[in-house]
Coordinates of all heavy atoms in Angstrom, one line a residue:
K1251 N 119.3 30.2 79.3 CA 118.1 30.9 79.8 C 117.7 30.5 81.2 O 117.9 29.3 81.5 CB 116.9 30.5 78.8 CG 117.0 31.1 77.5 CD 115.8 30.8 76.7 CE 115.5 32.0 75.8 NZ 114.2 31.9 75.2
H1252 N 117.3 31.5 82.0 CA 116.8 31.2 83.3 C 115.8 32.2 83.7 O 116.0 33.4 83.5 CB 118.0 31.2 84.3 CG 117.7 30.5 85.6 ND1 117.0 31.0 86.6 CD2 118.1 29.3 86.0 CE1 116.9 30.2 87.6 NE2 117.5 29.1 87.3
P1253 N 114.7 31.8 84.3 CA 113.6 32.8 84.6 C 114.0 33.8 85.7 O 113.4 34.9 85.7 CB 112.5 31.9 85.1 CG 113.1 30.7 85.6 CD 114.3 30.5 84.7
M1254 N 114.9 33.5 86.6 CA 115.3 34.4 87.7 C 114.0 34.9 88.5 O 113.8 36.1 88.6 CB 116.1 35.5 87.2 CG 117.4 35.1 86.5 SD 118.5 34.2 87.6 CE 119.3 35.6 88.5
D1255 N 113.2 34.0 88.9 CA 112.0 34.4 89.7 C 112.4 34.9 91.1 O 113.1 34.2 91.8 CB 111.0 33.2 89.8 CG 110.4 32.8 88.5 OD1 110.1 33.7 87.7 OD2 110.3 31.6 88.2
T1256 N 111.9 36.1 91.5 CA 112.4 36.7 92.7 C 111.7 36.2 94.0 O 112.2 36.4 95.1 CB 112.1 38.2 92.7 OG1 110.7 38.4 92.6 CG2 112.8 38.9 91.5
G1257 N 110.6 35.5 93.9 CA 109.8 35.1 95.0 C 108.9 36.2 95.6 O 108.3 36.1 96.6
L1258 N 108.8 37.3 94.8 CA 108.1 38.5 95.2 C 106.9 38.8 94.3 O 106.1 39.7 94.5 CB 108.9 39.7 95.2 CG 110.2 39.7 96.1 CD1 111.1 40.9 95.9 CD2 109.8 39.5 97.6
V1259 N 106.7 37.9 93.3 CA 105.6 38.2 92.3 C 104.6 37.1 92.3 O 104.9 35.9 92.5 CB 106.3 38.2 90.8 CG1 105.3 38.4 89.8 CG2 107.3 39.3 90.8
K1260 N 103.3 37.5 92.1 CA 102.2 36.5 92.1 C 102.0 36.0 90.7 O 102.1 36.8 89.7 CB 100.9 37.2 92.7 CG 101.0 37.4 94.1 CD 99.6 38.0 94.6 CE 99.7 38.3 96.1 NZ 98.4 38.8 96.6
N1261 N 101.6 34.8 90.6 CA 101.1 34.2 89.3 C 99.8 34.9 89.0 O 98.9 34.8 89.8 CB 100.9 32.7 89.5 CG 100.5 32.1 88.2 OD1 99.6 32.5 87.5 ND2 101.1 30.9 87.9
P1262 N 99.6 35.5 87.9 CA 98.4 36.2 87.5 C 97.2 35.3 87.4 O 96.1 35.8 87.7 CB 98.7 36.9 86.2 CG 99.9 36.3 85.6 CD 100.6 35.6 86.8
K1263 N 97.4 34.1 87.1 CA 96.2 33.2 87.0 C 95.8 32.6 88.4 O 94.6 32.4 88.6 CB 96.6 32.0 86.1 CG 96.8 32.5 84.6 CD 97.1 31.3 83.7 CE 97.3 31.8 82.3 NZ 97.6 30.8 81.3
T1264 N 96.8 32.3 89.2 CA 96.4 31.6 90.5 C 96.4 32.5 91.7 O 95.8 32.3 92.7 CB 97.4 30.5 90.8 OG1 98.7 31.0 91.0 CG2 97.5 29.5 89.7
G1265 N 97.1 33.7 91.6 CA 97.2 34.6 92.7 C 98.3 34.2 93.7 O 98.5 34.8 94.7
K1266 N 98.9 33.0 93.5 CA 99.9 32.5 94.4 C 101.3 33.1 94.1 O 101.6 33.3 92.9 CB 99.9 31.0 94.4 CG 98.7 30.4 94.9 CD 98.8 28.8 95.0 CE 97.5 28.2 95.5 NZ 97.6 26.8 95.5
I1267 N 102.1 33.2 95.1 CA 103.5 33.7 94.9 C 104.3 32.7 94.1 O 104.2 31.5 94.4 CB 104.2 34.0 96.3 CG1 103.5 35.1 97.0 CG2 105.7 34.2 96.1 CD1 103.7 36.5 96.4
I1268 N 105.0 33.2 93.1 CA 105.9 32.3 92.3 C 107.1 32.1 93.2 O 107.8 33.1 93.5 CB 106.2 32.9 91.0 CG1 105.0 33.1 90.1 CG2 107.3 32.1 90.2 CD1 105.2 33.9 88.9
P1269 N 107.5 30.9 93.5 CA 108.6 30.7 94.4 C 109.9 31.2 93.8 O 110.1 31.2 92.6 CB 108.7 29.2 94.6 CG 107.4 28.6 94.1 CD 106.8 29.6 93.2
K1270 N 110.8 31.6 94.7 CA 112.1 32.1 94.3 C 112.9 31.0 93.6 O 113.0 29.9 94.1 CB 112.9 32.6 95.6 CG 114.3 33.2 95.3 CD 114.8 33.6 96.6 CE 116.3 33.8 96.6 NZ 116.9 34.2 97.9
W1271 N 113.4 31.4 92.5 CA 114.3 30.5 91.7 C 115.3 31.3 90.9 O 114.9 31.8 89.8 CB 113.4 29.6 90.7 CG 114.1 28.6 89.9 CD1 115.3 28.0 90.3 CD2 113.7 28.1 88.7 NE1 115.7 27.1 89.3 CE2 114.7 27.1 88.3 CE3 112.6 28.2 87.9 CZ2 114.6 26.4 87.2 CZ3 112.6 27.5 86.7 CH2 113.6 26.6 86.4
I1272 N 116.4 31.5 91.4 CA 117.4 32.3 90.8 C 118.8 31.6 90.7 O 119.0 30.7 91.5 CB 117.6 33.7 91.6 CG1 118.2 33.4 93.0 CG2 116.3 34.5 91.7 CD1 118.7 34.6 93.7
I1273 N 119.6 32.1 89.8 CA 121.0 31.7 89.8 C 121.6 32.6 90.9 O 121.6 33.8 90.8 CB 121.6 31.9 88.5 CG1 121.0 30.9 87.5 CG2 123.2 31.7 88.5 CD1 121.5 31.1 86.0
Y1274 N 122.2 32.0 91.9 CA 122.8 32.8 93.0 C 124.3 32.8 93.0 O 124.9 33.6 93.6 CB 122.3 32.3 94.4 CG 122.8 30.9 94.8 CD1 124.0 30.8 95.5 CD2 122.1 29.8 94.4 CE1 124.4 29.5 95.8 CE2 122.5 28.5 94.8 CZ 123.7 28.4 95.5 OH 124.2 27.1 95.8
K1275 N 124.9 31.9 92.2 CA 126.4 31.8 92.1 C 126.8 31.3 90.8 O 126.3 30.4 90.3 CB 126.9 31.0 93.2 CG 128.5 30.9 93.3 CD 129.0 30.2 94.5 CE 129.0 28.7 94.2 NZ 129.9 27.9 95.1
V1276 N 127.9 32.0 90.3 CA 128.5 31.6 89.0 C 130.0 31.5 89.3 O 130.6 32.5 89.7 CB 128.2 32.5 87.8 CG1 129.0 32.1 86.6 CG2 126.8 32.7 87.6
D1277 N 130.6 30.3 89.1 CA 132.0 30.1 89.2 C 132.6 30.0 87.7 O 132.0 29.4 86.9 CB 132.4 28.8 89.8 CG 131.9 28.7 91.3 OD1 132.1 29.8 92.0 OD2 131.5 27.7 91.7
I1278 N 133.7 30.7 87.5 CA 134.3 30.8 86.2 C 135.7 30.2 86.2 O 136.5 30.7 87.1 CB 134.3 32.2 85.6 CG1 132.8 32.8 85.6 CG2 134.9 32.2 84.2 CD1 132.7 34.2 85.2
F1279 N 135.9 29.3 85.4 CA 137.2 28.6 85.3 C 137.9 28.8 84.0 O 137.2 28.8 83.0 CB 137.0 27.1 85.5 CG 136.4 26.7 86.8 CD1 135.1 26.7 87.0 CD2 137.2 26.3 87.9 CE1 134.5 26.3 88.2 CE2 136.7 25.9 89.1 CZ 135.3 25.9 89.3
Y1280 N 139.2 29.0 84.0 CA 140.0 29.1 82.8 C 141.1 28.1 83.0 O 141.9 28.1 84.0 CB 140.6 30.5 82.6 CG 141.5 30.6 81.4 CD1 141.1 30.4 80.1 CD2 142.8 31.0 81.6 CE1 141.9 30.5 79.1 CE2 143.7 31.2 80.5 CZ 143.2 30.9 79.3 OH 144.1 31.1 78.2
D1281 N 141.2 27.1 82.1 CA 142.2 26.0 82.1 C 142.1 25.3 83.5 O 143.0 25.0 84.1 CB 143.6 26.6 81.9 CG 144.6 25.5 81.7 OD1 144.2 24.4 81.2 OD2 145.8 25.7 82.0
K1282 N 140.8 25.0 83.9 CA 140.4 24.3 85.1 C 140.8 25.0 86.4 O 140.7 24.4 87.4 CB 141.0 22.9 85.0 CG 140.5 22.1 83.9 CD 141.0 20.6 83.9 CE 140.5 19.9 82.7 NZ 141.0 18.5 82.6
R1283 N 141.2 26.3 86.3 CA 141.6 27.0 87.5 C 140.4 28.1 87.7 O 140.0 28.8 86.8 CB 142.9 27.8 87.3 CG 144.1 27.0 87.4 CD 145.4 27.8 87.4 NE 145.3 29.2 87.5 CZ 145.7 30.1 86.6 NH1 146.2 29.6 85.5 NH2 145.5 31.4 86.8
L1284 N 140.0 28.1 89.0 CA 138.9 29.1 89.3 C 139.5 30.5 89.1 O 140.5 30.8 89.8 CB 138.4 28.9 90.7 CG 137.3 29.8 91.2 CD1 136.0 29.6 90.4 CD2 137.1 29.6 92.7
I1285 N 138.9 31.3 88.3 CA 139.4 32.7 88.1 C 138.5 33.7 88.8 O 139.0 34.8 89.2 CB 139.6 33.1 86.7 CG1 138.3 32.9 85.8 CG2 140.7 32.2 86.1 CD1 138.4 33.5 84.4
T1286 N 137.2 33.4 89.0 CA 136.4 34.3 89.7 C 135.0 33.6 90.1 O 134.7 32.7 89.5 CB 136.1 35.6 88.9 OG1 135.5 36.6 89.8 CG2 135.1 35.4 87.8
T1287 N 134.4 34.2 91.1 CA 133.1 33.7 91.5 C 132.2 35.0 91.6 O 132.6 36.0 92.2 CB 133.1 33.0 92.9 OG1 133.9 31.8 92.7 CG2 131.7 32.6 93.4
C1288 N 131.0 34.9 91.1 CA 130.0 36.0 91.1 C 128.8 35.5 92.0 O 128.4 34.4 91.8 CB 129.5 36.3 89.7 SG 130.8 36.7 88.6
H1289 N 128.4 36.3 92.9 CA 127.2 36.0 93.7 C 126.1 37.0 93.3 O 126.3 38.2 93.2 CB 127.6 36.2 95.2 CG 128.6 35.3 95.7 ND1 128.3 34.0 96.1 CD2 130.0 35.4 95.7 CE1 129.4 33.4 96.4 NE2 130.4 34.2 96.2
Y1290 N 124.9 36.4 93.2 CA 123.7 37.2 92.7 C 122.6 37.1 93.7 O 122.5 36.1 94.4 CB 123.2 36.7 91.3 CG 124.3 36.9 90.2 CD1 124.9 35.7 89.7 CD2 124.6 38.1 89.8 CE1 125.8 35.9 88.7 CE2 125.6 38.3 88.8 CZ 126.2 37.1 88.2 OH 127.1 37.3 87.2
G1291 N 121.7 38.1 93.7 CA 120.5 38.1 94.5 C 119.3 38.3 93.5 O 119.4 38.1 92.3
I1292 N 118.2 38.7 94.1 CA 116.9 38.8 93.4 C 116.9 40.0 92.4 O 116.0 40.1 91.6 CB 115.7 38.8 94.3 CG1 115.7 40.0 95.3 CG2 115.6 37.5 95.1 CD1 114.5 40.1 96.1
G1293 N 117.8 40.9 92.5 CA 117.8 42.1 91.6 C 118.4 41.8 90.2 O 118.5 42.7 89.4
I1294 N 118.7 40.6 89.9 CA 119.3 40.2 88.6 C 118.2 39.8 87.7 O 117.3 39.1 88.1 CB 120.3 39.1 88.8 CG1 121.5 39.5 89.7 CG2 120.9 38.7 87.4 CD1 122.3 40.7 89.2
S1295 N 118.2 40.3 86.4 CA 117.1 40.1 85.5 C 117.1 38.6 84.9 O 118.1 37.9 85.1 CB 117.3 41.0 84.3 OG 118.4 40.7 83.6
E1296 N 116.0 38.3 84.3 CA 115.9 37.0 83.6 C 117.0 37.0 82.5 O 117.3 38.0 81.9 CB 114.5 37.0 83.0 CG 114.2 35.7 82.2 CD 112.8 35.7 81.7 OE1 112.0 36.5 82.1 OE2 112.5 34.8 80.8
N1297 N 117.5 35.8 82.3 CA 118.6 35.6 81.3 C 119.7 36.6 81.5 O 120.0 37.4 80.6 CB 118.1 35.6 79.9 CG 117.0 34.6 79.7 OD1 117.1 33.5 80.2 ND2 115.9 35.0 79.0
P1298 N 120.3 36.6 82.7 CA 121.3 37.7 83.0 C 122.5 37.7 82.0 O 122.9 36.6 81.5 CB 121.7 37.4 84.4 CG 121.4 35.9 84.6 CD 120.2 35.7 83.7
F1299 N 123.1 38.8 81.9 CA 124.3 39.0 81.0 C 125.5 39.3 81.9 O 125.4 40.0 82.9 CB 124.1 40.2 80.1 CG 125.2 40.6 79.2 CD1 125.4 39.9 78.0 CD2 126.1 41.6 79.6 CE1 126.5 40.2 77.2 CE2 127.2 41.9 78.8 CZ 127.4 41.2 77.6
L1300 N 126.6 38.7 81.7 CA 127.8 38.8 82.5 C 129.0 39.2 81.6 O 129.2 38.6 80.6 CB 128.1 37.5 83.2 CG 129.4 37.3 83.9 CD1 129.5 38.3 85.1 CD2 129.6 35.9 84.4
A1301 N 129.7 40.3 82.0 CA 130.9 40.7 81.3 C 132.1 40.8 82.2 O 131.9 41.1 83.4 CB 130.6 42.1 80.7
F1302 N 133.2 40.4 81.8 CA 134.4 40.4 82.6 C 135.7 40.4 81.7 O 135.6 40.1 80.5 CB 134.5 39.2 83.5 CG 134.5 37.9 82.9 CD1 135.7 37.2 82.6 CD2 133.3 37.3 82.5 CE1 135.7 36.0 82.0 CE2 133.3 36.0 81.8 CZ 134.5 35.4 81.6
Y1303 N 136.8 40.8 82.2 CA 138.1 40.7 81.5 C 138.8 39.5 81.8 O 138.8 39.0 83.0 CB 138.9 42.0 81.8 CG 138.3 43.3 81.3 CD1 137.5 44.1 82.2 CD2 138.5 43.6 80.0 CE1 137.0 45.2 81.7 CE2 137.9 44.8 79.5 CZ 137.2 45.6 80.4 OH 136.6 46.7 79.9
L1304 N 139.5 38.9 80.8 CA 140.3 37.7 81.0 C 141.6 37.9 80.2 O 141.5 38.2 79.0 CB 139.5 36.5 80.5 CG 140.3 35.2 80.4 CD1 140.7 34.7 81.8 CD2 139.5 34.1 79.7
K1305 N 142.7 37.7 80.8 CA 144.0 37.6 80.0 C 144.2 36.2 79.6 O 144.7 35.4 80.4 CB 145.1 38.1 80.8 CG 146.4 38.2 80.1 CD 147.6 38.7 80.9 CE 148.9 38.6 80.1 NZ 150.0 39.1 80.9
A1306 N 143.8 35.9 78.4 CA 144.0 34.5 77.8 C 145.4 34.4 77.3 O 145.7 35.0 76.3 CB 142.9 34.2 76.8
D1307 N 146.2 33.5 77.9 CA 147.6 33.4 77.4 C 147.9 32.0 76.8 O 149.0 31.8 76.5 CB 148.5 33.7 78.6 CG 148.3 32.9 79.8 OD1 147.4 32.0 79.8 OD2 149.0 33.1 80.8
K1308 N 146.9 31.2 76.7 CA 147.1 29.9 76.1 C 145.7 29.3 75.7 O 144.7 29.8 76.1 CB 147.7 28.9 77.1 CG 146.9 28.7 78.4 CD 147.7 27.9 79.4 CE 147.1 28.0 80.8 NZ 147.9 27.4 81.8
N1309 N 145.8 28.3 74.8 CA 144.6 27.6 74.4 C 144.1 26.8 75.6 O 144.8 26.0 76.1 CB 144.9 26.7 73.2 CG 145.3 27.4 71.9 OD1 145.1 28.6 71.9 ND2 145.8 26.7 71.0
A1310 N 142.9 27.1 76.0 CA 142.3 26.4 77.2 C 140.8 26.6 77.2 O 140.3 27.6 76.7 CB 143.0 26.9 78.4
P1311 N 140.1 25.7 77.9 CA 138.7 25.9 78.1 C 138.3 27.0 79.1 O 139.0 27.2 80.1 CB 138.2 24.5 78.5 CG 139.4 23.9 79.2 CD 140.6 24.5 78.5
L1312 N 137.2 27.7 78.8 CA 136.6 28.7 79.7 C 135.3 28.0 80.1 O 134.5 27.8 79.2 CB 136.4 30.0 79.0 CG 135.8 31.1 79.9 CD1 136.8 31.5 81.0 CD2 135.5 32.3 79.0
E1313 N 135.1 27.8 81.4 CA 133.9 27.1 81.9 C 133.2 27.9 82.9 O 133.8 28.5 83.8 CB 134.3 25.7 82.5 CG 133.1 24.9 82.9 CD 133.4 23.6 83.5 OE1 134.5 23.4 84.1 OE2 132.6 22.7 83.4
F1314 N 131.9 27.9 82.7 CA 131.0 28.6 83.6 C 130.1 27.5 84.3 O 129.6 26.7 83.7 CB 130.0 29.5 82.8 CG 130.7 30.6 82.1 CD1 131.3 30.4 80.8 CD2 130.8 31.9 82.6 CE1 131.9 31.4 80.1 CE2 131.4 32.9 81.9 CZ 132.0 32.6 80.7
V1315 N 130.1 27.6 85.7 CA 129.3 26.7 86.5 C 128.4 27.5 87.3 O 128.8 28.3 88.1 CB 130.2 25.8 87.4 CG1 129.4 24.9 88.2 CG2 131.3 25.1 86.6
M1316 N 127.1 27.4 87.0 CA 126.0 28.2 87.6 C 125.2 27.4 88.6 O 124.8 26.2 88.2 CB 125.1 28.8 86.5 CG 125.9 29.7 85.6 SD 125.3 29.8 83.9 CE 126.1 28.3 83.2
H1317 N 124.9 27.9 89.7 CA 124.2 27.2 90.8 C 122.9 28.0 91.0 O 122.9 29.2 91.2 CB 125.0 27.2 92.1 CG 126.3 26.6 91.9 ND1 126.6 25.3 92.3 CD2 127.5 27.1 91.5 CE1 127.8 25.0 92.1 NE2 128.4 26.1 91.6
D1318 N 121.7 27.3 91.1 CA 120.5 28.0 91.4 C 119.9 27.5 92.7 O 120.4 26.6 93.3 CB 119.5 27.9 90.2 CG 118.8 26.5 90.0 OD1 118.8 25.7 90.9 OD2 118.2 26.3 88.9
T1319 N 118.8 28.2 93.1 CA 118.2 28.0 94.4 C 117.4 26.7 94.5 O 116.9 26.3 95.6 CB 117.3 29.2 94.8 OG1 116.4 29.5 93.8 CG2 118.2 30.4 95.1
K1320 N 117.2 26.0 93.4 CA 116.6 24.7 93.4 C 117.6 23.5 93.4 O 117.2 22.4 93.3 CB 115.7 24.5 92.2 CG 114.4 25.4 92.2 CD 113.5 25.0 91.1 CE 112.2 25.8 91.2 NZ 111.3 25.5 90.1
G1321 N 118.9 23.9 93.6 CA 119.9 22.9 93.6 C 120.4 22.4 92.3 O 121.3 21.5 92.2
N1322 N 120.0 23.0 91.2 CA 120.5 22.7 89.9 C 121.8 23.3 89.6 O 122.1 24.4 90.1 CB 119.5 23.2 88.8 CG 118.1 22.6 88.9 OD1 118.0 21.4 89.0 ND2 117.1 23.4 88.9
I1323 N 122.6 22.6 88.9 CA 123.9 23.1 88.4 C 124.0 23.0 86.9 O 123.7 22.0 86.3 CB 125.1 22.3 89.1 CG1 125.1 22.4 90.6 CG2 126.4 22.7 88.5 CD1 126.1 21.5 91.3
Y1324 N 124.3 24.2 86.3 CA 124.3 24.3 84.9 C 125.8 24.6 84.5 O 126.5 25.4 85.2 CB 123.5 25.5 84.4 CG 122.1 25.4 84.9 CD1 121.7 26.1 86.1 CD2 121.1 24.7 84.2 CE1 120.4 26.1 86.6 CE2 119.8 24.7 84.7 CZ 119.5 25.4 85.9 OH 118.2 25.4 86.4
K1325 N 126.3 23.9 83.4 CA 127.6 24.1 83.0 C 127.7 24.5 81.5 O 126.9 23.9 80.7 CB 128.5 22.9 83.2 CG 128.7 22.5 84.7 CD 129.5 21.3 84.8 CE 129.7 21.0 86.3 NZ 130.6 19.8 86.5
K1326 N 128.5 25.4 81.2 CA 128.8 25.8 79.8 C 130.3 26.0 79.6 O 130.9 26.7 80.4 CB 128.0 27.1 79.5 CG 128.3 27.6 78.1 CD 127.7 26.7 77.0 CE 127.9 27.3 75.6 NZ 127.4 26.4 74.6
S1327 N 130.8 25.4 78.6 CA 132.3 25.5 78.4 C 132.5 25.9 76.9 O 131.8 25.4 76.0 CB 132.9 24.2 78.7 OG 134.3 24.2 78.5
I1328 N 133.5 26.8 76.7 CA 133.9 27.1 75.4 C 135.4 27.0 75.3 O 136.1 27.2 76.3 CB 133.4 28.5 74.9 CG1 133.9 29.6 75.9 CG2 131.9 28.6 74.8 CD1 133.7 31.0 75.3
M1329 N 135.9 26.8 74.2 CA 137.4 26.7 74.0 C 137.9 28.1 73.6 O 137.4 28.7 72.7 CB 137.8 25.7 73.0 CG 139.2 25.4 72.8 SD 139.8 24.7 74.4 CE 141.5 24.5 74.0
I1330 N 138.9 28.6 74.3 CA 139.6 29.8 74.0 C 140.8 29.5 73.2 O 141.7 28.7 73.7 CB 140.0 30.6 75.2 CG1 138.7 31.0 76.1 CG2 140.8 31.9 74.9 CD1 137.8 31.9 75.4
N1331 N 140.9 30.0 72.0 CA 142.1 29.7 71.1 C 142.9 31.0 71.0 O 142.4 32.0 70.5 CB 141.7 29.2 69.8 CG 141.0 27.8 69.9 OD1 141.6 26.9 70.5 ND2 139.9 27.7 69.3
V1332 N 144.1 31.0 71.4 CA 145.0 32.2 71.4 C 145.8 32.0 70.1 O 146.5 31.0 69.9 CB 145.9 32.2 72.6 CG1 146.9 33.4 72.5 CG2 145.1 32.3 73.9
A1333 N 145.8 33.1 69.3 CA 146.5 33.0 68.0 C 148.0 33.2 68.2 O 148.5 33.8 69.1 CB 146.0 34.1 67.1

């Protein structure tokens, strides 16, 4: 989950602009090799959905490394098992 605040919206209670806080880059690795990088801007929704094709030819981890504008790095890894 990520709020994906654009920096263009005011807080309804305070009237102050909510600072920009978005995931701007996602690196995707398969078997520790970078397979693609996605770059995002403020037009991406909260809790964004990502779809892509992958030719999985061996049992290996698929890892997502997400970078946001506050300097946070989020990682999620799943094991791909090829029958």
Side-chain angles (χ1 to χ4, degrees):
K1251 289 186 143 189
H1252 199 282
M1254 300 298 278
D1255 293 320
T1256 64
L1258 303 174
V1259 177
K1260 290 183 180 180
N1261 180 316
K1263 292 181 181 177
T1264 65
K1266 294 183 180 181
I1267 295 289
I1268 299 169
K1270 181 176 160 183
W1271 184 25
I1272 64 168
I1273 293 173
Y1274 68 90
K1275 182 173 86 162
V1276 177
D1277 294 320
I1278 303 172
F1279 297 85
Y1280 176 60
D1281 195 25
K1282 299 183 181 179
R1283 285 187 9 242
L1284 180 66
I1285 58 170
T1286 194
T1287 297
C1288 305
H1289 296 274
Y1290 298 111
I1292 61 172
I1294 300 299
S1295 67
E1296 180 178 346
N1297 302 321
F1299 179 83
L1300 172 65
F1302 61 95
Y1303 292 98
L1304 170 68
K1305 182 180 178 183
D1307 56 1
K1308 59 186 165 188
N1309 295 347
L1312 181 65
E1313 183 178 27
F1314 298 82
V1315 181
M1316 297 148 280
H1317 304 261
D1318 75 17
T1319 52
K1320 288 186 177 181
N1322 298 309
I1323 297 174
Y1324 309 92
K1325 294 182 180 182
K1326 176 69 177 175
S1327 183
I1328 60 169
M1329 188 65 181
I1330 301 293
N1331 295 308
V1332 177

